[in-house]
Amino acid sequence: QQMIYDIRLERLSETVIDGEDVFYYNVSYKIHKNNGTFRNDIGSDGSKTLCFKLVDRNGKILIDSISYYQFN
């Protein structure tokens, strides 16, 4: 059975864009015994960091986008 573990959240920044509060967070986690049904881009017990952009829209915090970091 797949299990998510070692979850890490890092608050990067907070700003106001077009009158809306915008928050950026790094999120990473590992998947034990990953078989690719949830994420097929990382190996078992591996992780990749995602950047979540959250926006406060009328008192509701919503995910606006999720970005993968690209390293060249």
Side-chain angles (χ1 to χ4, degrees):
Q1 181 177 6
Q2 299 179 90
M3 295 170 274
I4 294 177
Y5 71 102
D6 199 15
I7 300 165
R8 297 175 186 260
L9 300 173
E10 176 187 10
R11 186 175 183 168
L12 299 176
S13 66
E14 177 181 341
T15 188
V16 176
I17 300 175
D18 296 329
E20 295 178 321
D21 292 327
V22 178
F23 311 91
Y24 293 92
Y25 284 85
N26 273 347
V27 177
S28 65
Y29 53 86
K30 294 179 180 178
I31 304 173
H32 183 61
K33 298 183 181 180
N34 185 18
N35 64 13
T37 57
F38 178 63
R39 297 263 318 255
N40 63 4
D41 61 335
I42 59 175
S44 186
D45 300 315
S47 72
K48 286 188 179 179
T49 302
L50 305 170
C51 182
F52 279 66
K53 177 183 175 187
L54 308 175
V55 179
D56 184 341
R57 295 205 171 108
N58 301 317
K60 291 185 179 181
I61 306 293
L62 304 172
I63 297 172
D64 187 73
S65 66
I66 302 172
S67 304
Y68 292 89
Y69 285 98
Q70 301 293 323
F71 298 102
N72 297 327

